[in-house]
Amino acid sequence: MFRGDREVTLAMVLRALGASAVATSRWTISDAECAGQPAAADEVHRYALQAEAVSGVRLLALADEGVQLINGLLLGRAIGDKEPWVVIRAVRSSDWDIEAADEILNLAQGFFPEASPLPD
């Protein structure tokens, strides 16, 4: 996914949300279409197909291995919480949509100043 000449990777999006918060969360992946390093992309796809939660540490590692989410949905939940603290949508290899509390979105905006709010 590109913004002008700048590639925006899954790893960048996760780190923009705060690596510590991502690492200490459990992640559910659905409707995943992945690219990048084949074994890592297959693992992400498998998590999505099996509806199996993945640790934030593992998700960060997979992203660092070069997995790119083309389409899909990631839900990040703090341990013990039922509701996600963040919802990330990869859309058609061109956009990332992030739903989270304002303080998380403000943090991400610092990494991606070109980002704009979604319409209500």
Side-chain angles (χ1 to χ4, degrees), residues 29 31-36 40-45 48 67-71:
I29 306 167
D31 301 321
E33 181 182 343
C34 305
D42 286 347
E43 186 174 340
V44 169
H45 193 249
V67 169
Q68 183 65 333
L69 197 59
I70 306 302
N71 282 302

Side-chain angles (χ1 to χ4, degrees), residues 19-41:
S20 177
V22 170
T24 58
S25 296
R26 300 289 293 165
W27 292 84
T28 305
I29 306 167
S30 59
D31 301 321
E33 181 182 343
C34 305
Q37 199 280 340

Side-chain angles (χ1 to χ4, degrees), residues 21-29 47 52-59 74-81 83-86:
V22 170
T24 58
S25 296
R26 300 289 293 165
W27 292 84
T28 305
I29 306 167
Y47 282 121
E52 180 182 341
V54 59
S55 75
V57 170
R58 184 65 189 143
L59 184 60
L74 297 169
L75 302 177
R77 291 180 179 85
I79 303 299
D81 286 354
E83 295 300 316
W85 64 270
V86 64

Side-chain angles (χ1 to χ4, degrees), residues 53-113:
V54 59
S55 75
V57 170
R58 184 65 189 143
L59 184 60
L60 284 166
L62 290 166
D64 286 342
E65 289 178 32
V67 169
Q68 183 65 333
L69 197 59
I70 306 302
N71 282 302
L73 181 68
L74 297 169
L75 302 177
R77 291 180 179 85
I79 303 299
D81 286 354
K82 291 184 181 197
E83 295 300 316
W85 64 270
V86 64
V87 176
I88 304 169
R89 283 181 196 81
V91 183
R92 297 179 308 276
S93 301
S94 61
D95 290 305
W96 293 101
D97 294 342
I98 300 171
E99 294 178 37
D102 286 345
E103 61 268 16
I104 301 298
L105 295 176
N106 291 337
L107 182 63
Q109 185 89 42
F111 282 81
F112 304 110

